[in-house]
Amino acid sequence: MLELGLFYIAATVSLISTVLAVTRYNAAHALIYLIISLLASAIIFYLVGAPFAAVLEVVIYAGAIMVLFVFVIMLLNLGQSGDVAEHVLLRPGMWIIPSLLCVILFIEIVYVLQSSERLLERDGRWTQRSRVGTFWTLCSGCRDRLYAATRRSGRRLSPGTALFY
Amino acid sequence: MITTDLLALLPIITLTGVILVVMMVIAFARNLALTCLCCSIGLALTLAAIAWVSINLEPQYVTPLIVVDEYALLFSSIIVIGAFFICLLAYSYHADRGENQDEYLMLMLLSTLGGIILAHSAHFASFILGLELVGVSLYAMISYPVRGFFSLEAALKYLILSGVSSATLLFGIAFLFAVTGSLSFQGMADATAHMEHASVFVLIGATFVLAGIAFKLSLAPFHMWTPDVYEGAPAPTTAFLATVSKGGIFAVLLRFFVSFDGFRFEAILESLFWVALLSILVGNILALMQDKIKRVLAYSSIAHIGYLLVGFLAASAVGGKQLAIEASMFFLIAYFVTTIGAFGVVTIMSGSTESEHDTDQLSQYEGLFWRRPLLATFFSAMLLSLAGIPLTVGFIGKFYIFAAGVQSGLWQLLAAVVVGSGIGLYYYLRIIFSMTKQPVSEDEIDIPLAGGWALGMVSVLLVVLGVYPTPVVEWVTSVARALT
Amino acid sequence: MNEAIVIPMEHGLLLAGILFLIGLLGVLVRRNIILILMSLEIMLNACGLAFIVAGAHWGVADGQIMFMLILSIAAAEVSVGLGLLLQAHRRFGSLDVDQASRMQG
C-alpha cells in the first residue's frame, strides 16, 4: 500500500501548492508553487502507470511552458512595484462569490463520484469487469485488487498501448 | 494508410499543401495581391477536391479519428466557400492599410483547415485538434491591427474565454471517457447504448461538454464577452468568427448528438431548451439597445444560433429527426450567406477609413442610399434576410426551422422564435431607415474590386437561394438521410 | 515495467476536479493577466490528470494520447497568450484586465 500512500501525499502537495499558486501576490512566487504542483502531478502520473506522461509533464510543462512564464515576468520587470499593484488588484472580498460557486461545483463532483459506483453497477458496465471473482460482493475491501487483476489479464494491448506499458 | 485513405483525405491534404505554399510565397515576396491569389486558388482547389471525393468515394473512416462522408463534405464545402468570400473581403480590407498584412490570409487558411477537421471528426482527439486549430489562429487574427486598442482587448478577452471553454470541454470529455472507456463518438454511443436515463456521471460529463460548446457558440448564459470580441476584432475576422468557426463547431455538436443519441436524455434536452430560449430572447432584446452595427450583428448572431438550436432540438422527437437535421443544416447555410454579407458591408465601409476603428456607428451609415445606392441595397437585403423576409434565403431557413419545430411540437420555443423575429424586425428596419435619411457626411466611400465582387456574389446567392432553394434542399435532404 | 497500481479512479478524478475548480477560481478572481494565464494552465493540467487517471483505469493508451494533445494545446495557447500580454503591457501600461477593458460589455 506504499503506492497508495505516495498518491495521497502527492495529491496533498499538489493541492496545497496549487492553492498557494492562485493566491500569491507576487507572480514569480505563484510560478514556483505552480511548478511544485506540476511536479506532484508528475509523481501521480508515474504512480498510475504512465511514466512517459510523467516525463513529459516535467520536461514540457514544468520545463518549457513555465520557462515561458519566467521569461515574460523577467521581461516585464515587475519587481516591488508589481507586488504593490497586485495588492490593489486583489482584494480579499473578491474571493467570496466565486469561491461559493466553486464550492457548489465541488460538492456536485463529490456527489457524482460517490454515487458513481452504485450507478455504474446498475448500468452493468463496471460489474462486467469485476465478474472475475464471485467474492466481489463479499469482499468489497479487495475491490481495488480485483480491478487490478482484471486489468492485468484483460488488457487490450494495441501497438499504441504496448508502447506505453 | 492505403491509397483510398489518402484520396479520402484529399481536401485536408490539399488545404495543408496550400498553406505551406502560401507560407513560402510570403517568405519570398511580400505582396498581398499575390498571397490573396494563392489563397483563393487554394480554396478553389480544396473545393474541387471535396467535389471529387464526394463523387468518387464511398463514405469511410480514415483511422478512427476522421470520417469522410456526405455530412462532413457538406460542412467542409460550406466552410471553404465561406472562407473564399471572406478571403476576398479581407484582401480589400487590408490592401489599403499598408504594413505587413500577408500573414493574415495564411492564418485564415489555417483556421479554415481547423474547421474542415471539425467537420470530419468522429473522435474527441480530432475534435480538440480542430477546435484549437480554429481558436489559436483566431487569437492572432483578432489582434491583427497592430495599432488599435480595441483589437488587442478583444483578443485578450477571446483568449481567456476560449481557454476556459476549452478546459471545460476537455474536463467534460475526461468524465465521459472515465465512464465509457472510449473517446470515439461511436464507442461512447455503444458504451451507453443500454442507458435509458443518463447516469449522473454521464450527465455531468455531458453538461461540461455542452457548457464548453455553448461558450464556443456564444449561446446565451455564456455569451459574456462576445459582443466586445465582435466589436474589437477587424471586420473580416468578425465575419470569420461568426461563421466558419461556429459552423465547424455546430457540425461536431450535431454529429456527436446523432451518433451518441443524446436526444434520449431528458435532462440534457431540458438544459438545451433553456439555453435556446435564453439565447433567442437575450440576443434580440440586447440588440435593441445597441447603436453600433457590429454589436447589433453580434447580438443578432447570438439569437440566430439560438434559432439553430431550435432546429437541433426538434431532432429529439420521434420521426422528426430527419427534417430537423435538414432544417438545421439549411439554416446554417442561410446564416453563413447572410452573416458574411452583412459583415462584408461593414468590411467595405471600413476599408476606406483612416481611423483605427472600423466604421460601425449607426450614424456613419446615415444616407447610405444616396451615397452608395448599390451597397445600401445589398446591406438592406442582408438585413431583411436576417429578419426573415420572403424572397431571401433567411426566410427559407427560418421557415424550415419552423416546420421542424411544428413537427416536433416545440411550442414554447416556436413562440420564442416568433417574438424574437418580431423584435429583430424592429432593429433591422431601424438600420435600413437610417440609411434612407439625408446624408450628413459627404466622405467618399471607395468600393474595392475584389471585395465588391465578393459582396455582389453573396447577394446574388442570397436572392437565388431565397427564390429557388431546391438544389440545396435536395442536397441537404440526401445528407440528412444518409446521417440518420 | 512499472505496473499499474491500485489507485481508485474516483480519487484521481476528485483530485482533478478540485484542481480544475481551483484553476477556475483563479480565472474568475485574479485580475492580473499573467495569473489568469497560469490559472488556465492549472485547469488544462487538471484535465490532463483526469484523462491519465481514466485511461489507467481502462488500461488504454487513449488517455495518455489526449494528455499529449492537451500539453501541446497548452503550449500553443500560452505562447500566443504571453505574446498578447507583452503587447498589452506595452500599450495599456498595466496587466490589469479591468483597466484593459474599454468596451462596455
Side-chain angles (χ1 to χ4, degrees), chain A residues 120-133:
Chain A
L120 288 165
E121 213 174 310
R122 191 189 63 194
D123 295 334
R125 183 78 193 180
W126 282 2
T127 37
Q128 219 176 9
R129 291 175 69 79
S130 62
R131 229 172 260 152
V132 277

Side-chain angles (χ1 to χ4, degrees), chain C residues 14-88:
Chain C
L14 187 64
L15 175 65
I18 299 173
L19 287 179
F20 182 86
L21 289 178
I22 296 174
L24 185 66
L25 194 62
V27 174
L28 291 175
V29 173
R30 300 307 296 240
R31 287 284 149 268
N32 185 327
I33 306 173
I34 297 185
L35 269 301
I36 291 182
L37 282 177
M38 276 187 208
S39 306
L40 270 180
E41 287 304 294
I42 296 174
M43 287 171 83
L44 285 173
N45 182 52
C47 297
L49 179 63
F51 271 112
I52 296 242
V53 169
H57 172 81
W58 288 95
V60 290
D62 292 19
Q64 301 190 25
I65 290 167
M66 280 306 271
F67 170 73
M68 278 178 234
L69 206 55
I70 292 176
L71 205 66
S72 34
I73 288 170
E77 213 149 288
V78 153
S79 36
V80 178
L82 289 176
L84 288 175
L85 185 150
L86 284 178
Q87 278 284 331

Side-chain angles (χ1 to χ4, degrees), chain A residues 122-152:
Chain A
R122 191 189 63 194
D123 295 334
R125 183 78 193 180
W126 282 2
T127 37
Q128 219 176 9
R129 291 175 69 79
S130 62
R131 229 172 260 152
V132 277
T134 42
F135 290 123
W136 163 246
T137 41
L138 299 176
C139 3
S140 57
C142 299
R143 188 192 63 222
D144 297 341
R145 296 208 166 272
L146 281 173
Y147 271 152
T150 345
R151 256 207 308 275
R152 268 183 223 115

Side-chain angles (χ1 to χ4, degrees), chain A residues 69-85:
Chain A
F69 276 102
V70 173
F71 271 138
V72 168
I73 292 173
M74 274 161 50
L75 274 174
L76 296 181
N77 199 12
L78 294 173
Q80 283 283 289
S81 60
D83 249 24
V84 176

Side-chain angles (χ1 to χ4, degrees), chain B residues 53-71:
Chain B
V53 169
S54 96
I55 293 168
N56 291 316
L57 293 183
E58 292 293 308
Q60 57 178 306
Y61 275 87
V62 184
T63 72
L65 301 186
I66 297 270
V67 56
V68 181
D69 57 1
E70 284 298 312
Y71 177 81

